[in-house]
Amino acid sequence: MPKFFVTSQNIDNNEIKITGEDVNHIKNVLRKKKGNQITVCNKDMSIDYLCTISQLNEDVIKCDIIEKLKTNAEPNIEVSILQGLPKADKMELVIQKSIELGAYDIIPVEMARCIVKLNEKDKIKKIQRWQKIAEVASKQSGRNKIPQIKPIISLKSICNLCTEYDIVIVAYENEKENKLKYELQKLKQSEKSNLKIAILIGPEGRNR
C-alpha cells in the first residue's frame, strides 16, 4: 500500500492533510480516488496510520484516520553511513540502497581522493536532491522515518564525530586479517542495546 509522510502540524484530530508534491503523485500517478486507502506516517513521531481519502483538491488531499498501525520498521541499531563523494550519480544509488537497508542517516564526506569537487552552491543543491531521494526510498521500503542527508563535511571533521558512536568501522581495501563479520560478532556480544555505529567508506579514488 502506498505510504506518504506528513508532520504533526498536518494532523488534526482524526484528519490528515497531505500537501506538496505528494498531491500530484497521489492524484495523477497513482490515480487514487475518494474512498481509496493509503498509509500515512507522522515523521515527527514515527507513527503509521491507515487512512481513507476523503477529499482530493488541487493542492491538498484530506484523509480520515481509520486506525493507528502497529509497525516496527526501524532497527534498534543506528547505523550512519559516512560516504566519500563518488563521481557521477553514484551517490544517489548509495543513498537509495543504504536507506532501503535501514541506515539511520548519511553523511557525505569530501576526501583527498574524491574526483568530484563541489562549490558551496552546488553542495546545497546536491543535499536537497539527495534528501528527496531519501524520502522516495523511505516510502518504497516502508520506513517509519526519512533519514537525514547531513551537510557535506571534510575528512578532518570526522574526528569530532567519532565520540558520538559506540564503534567506527572503516572500509580499508588493504586490510588482510580483520573482517567485517568479526566486528559484527563483537557487536552481537555487546550487552548494550541501541548501538550507534558509523561506517566510513572512501570514494573510488584515483591513480597516484
Side-chain angles (χ1 to χ4, degrees), residues 70-85:
K70 295 181 179 180
T71 56
N72 187 23
E74 296 302 316
N76 60 354
I77 297 176
E78 295 182 3
V79 178
S80 296
I81 304 297
L82 284 68
Q83 175 65 55
L85 294 175

Side-chain angles (χ1 to χ4, degrees), residues 19-49:
T19 57
E21 296 178 355
D22 285 338
V23 174
N24 177 69
H25 187 72
I26 292 171
K27 291 171 56 178
N28 301 320
V29 178
L30 298 178
R31 298 187 181 279
K32 293 294 182 180
K33 306 294 182 182
K34 181 178 178 180
N36 289 163
Q37 293 183 350
I38 59 174
T39 302
V40 181
C41 178
N42 179 348
K43 61 184 179 182
D44 295 332
M45 307 293 291
S46 296
I47 299 175
D48 282 349
Y49 298 96

Side-chain angles (χ1 to χ4, degrees), residues 99 103-108 130-131 134 145-151:
I99 289 175
Y104 179 77
D105 58 15
I106 297 174
I107 305 174
W130 292 339
Q131 191 63 58
K145 61 168 288 184
I146 303 174
Q148 273 195 312
I149 310 300
K150 299 294 185 67

Side-chain angles (χ1 to χ4, degrees), residues 1 27 42 58 82 96 104 163 175:
M1 182 178 295
K27 291 171 56 178
N42 179 348
E58 188 68 26
L82 284 68
Q96 178 188 357
Y104 179 77
T163 56
E175 176 60 50

Side-chain angles (χ1 to χ4, degrees), residues 147-166:
Q148 273 195 312
I149 310 300
K150 299 294 185 67
I152 299 172
I153 64 173
S154 66
L155 185 59
K156 291 181 179 180
S157 300
I158 292 178
C159 297
N160 298 325
L161 296 177
C162 289
T163 56
E164 299 179 10
Y165 300 98
D166 297 296

